[in-house]
Amino acid sequence: MRDETFEEQQEILDPHRREERAAAGVEFAGRIRQKGVLLTGAETSAQLDDLSTAIDRFEAAVVARGGDLFVNSPSSDQPESPEFVIPRRVPGEDAEAYASRINEAAERLEKADL
């Protein structure tokens, strides 16, 4: 007999667990999309977490430099400071590469002499 994974054991204990996890993933993805970030829908929960962490770091770097996240959003027609706008996702770019680019942009802001 095959041993059950932790997740399978949890689903046996809570038959609604899968639906709850799916709903949480949809909510999490929605919060990321509200920040102007393009998602493909194929991102795993770990990738969404990495993207969220990178976005939070970038936004903290913008605020630390005196930037306004509202006027420097991806949807801004004329951002106040283009370097304060989160990088756009390149078509076909995987989530890991995109999170890495966001972290690189955050690092540039953290080290910049603005």
Side-chain angles (χ1 to χ4, degrees):
M1 184 170 148
R2 161 177 103 74
D3 289 332
E4 295 157 344
T5 66
F6 173 78
E7 194 57 41
E8 289 170 333
Q9 292 172 359
Q10 294 303 307
E11 285 182 14
I12 290 169
L13 295 172
D14 179 2
H16 301 289
R17 183 172 174 86
R18 186 172 298 191
E19 294 87 10
E20 291 166 353
R21 287 174 51 95
V26 168
E27 181 182 337
F28 196 38
R31 280 189 256 140
I32 293 171
R33 282 186 180 102
Q34 285 179 334
K35 295 177 183 274
V37 172
L38 175 66
L39 297 178
T40 65
E43 293 85 4
T44 65
S45 58
Q47 290 169 329
L48 291 173
D49 186 49
D50 289 345
L51 283 169
S52 180
T53 300
I55 292 164
D56 288 347
R57 178 182 179 191
F58 180 83
E59 289 181 342
V62 169
V63 170
R65 293 292 181 177
D68 183 330
L69 296 172
F70 183 73
V71 296
N72 294 300
S73 75
S75 61
S76 299
D77 290 336
Q78 295 180 332
E80 189 175 75
S81 301
E83 66 272 13
F84 290 163
V85 178
I86 195 163
R88 291 197 185 274
R89 190 172 187 175
V90 177
E93 183 175 34
D94 67 32
E96 289 89 357
Y98 185 43
S100 178
R101 280 195 321 109
I102 296 170
N103 277 314
E104 289 167 4
E107 186 174 351
R108 281 192 299 277
L109 287 175
E110 292 163 351
K111 293 179 177 180
D113 292 330
L114 299 177

